[in-house]
Amino acid sequence: MEISLKSIGKSNWEECIQLKVREDQEDNMATNLYSIAEIQFLNGFICKAIYLSEAMIGFVMYGMDPDDNNYWIYRFMIDEKFQNNGYGKKALQLVVEEINIQENKTDKLLLGYSAKNETARRLYRSVGFVETGIAPWGEMIAQYKFM
């Protein structure tokens, strides 16, 4: 079974909005429906579905933030039924690889998450993200440095 990233469009957006995190994780991020709506107003951002073979199992939203001109992962989630199987780590590695080949990438990739979210902390650390501190809006910021 292979993990892949595929564009979200007319044929799969409704399936994407049905994906859910565990109940205890719901306060940690916006819904996929909100993210798909939000991206309509964020130039340069991309939403992709995460697939395990032909099954959609997650969602990611990333792009170049106009405030600091760095790539940010704004959303990353794996459906509750597929968590704790290593799929998140593999999908996150694919996202990092995809950003790394962009012509306009900078030397780092950033993301933010709730400082109380130990699951996110372990996942991001396992891929090479290093915490840099709490942002003014309250999230823990972590960065990945490209080689």
Side-chain angles (χ1 to χ4, degrees):
M1 297 210 173
E2 187 173 315
I3 299 293
S4 62
L5 303 174
K6 298 180 183 176
S7 296
I8 295 174
K10 290 180 184 180
S11 66
N12 63 356
W13 75 272
E14 290 179 296
E15 181 180 6
C16 183
I17 66 172
Q18 300 303 315
L19 299 173
K20 303 285 184 226
V21 293
R22 292 188 328 250
E23 188 175 334
D24 64 306
Q25 298 170 324
E26 288 176 352
D27 292 337
N28 293 331
M29 69 178 285
T31 65
N32 294 349
L33 177 59
Y34 179 90
S35 297
I36 291 169
E38 182 181 32
I39 202 166
Q40 306 308 309
F41 307 101
L42 292 173
N43 291 330
F45 273 75
I46 296 169
C47 285
K48 294 225 172 165
I50 300 167
Y51 282 84
L52 174 63
S53 295
E54 298 302 314
M56 186 185 296
I57 66 166
F59 172 82
V60 63
M61 178 175 145
Y62 64 88
M64 177 79 70
D65 189 304
D67 292 334
D68 65 5
N69 293 317
N70 285 303
Y71 269 88
W72 281 76
I73 298 174
Y74 272 21
R75 309 282 191 285
F76 184 86
M77 65 83 70
I78 299 294
D79 185 85
E80 63 184 339
K81 295 181 289 272
F82 297 94
Q83 292 182 11
N84 300 312
N85 292 301
Y87 304 141
K89 182 175 181 177
K90 178 64 178 162
L92 190 56
Q93 289 169 329
L94 288 175
V95 172
V96 169
E97 290 171 15
E98 200 165 282
I99 293 170
N100 192 34
I101 63 171
Q102 300 302 310
E103 289 183 22
N104 63 345
K105 78 164 177 72
T106 57
D107 63 341
K108 63 185 173 184
L109 167 62
L110 299 155
L111 53 76
Y113 56 92
S114 169
K116 297 180 279 185
N117 188 341
E118 286 300 320
T119 302
R121 176 177 279 120
R122 283 191 306 274
L123 171 63
Y124 299 138
R125 187 178 294 147
S126 75
V127 174
F129 283 85
V130 176
E131 293 179 345
T132 61
I134 303 292
W137 57 89
E139 287 185 319
M140 175 60 71
I141 301 300
Q143 73 175 9
Y144 179 94
K145 290 203 176 207
F146 293 107
M147 307 260 173

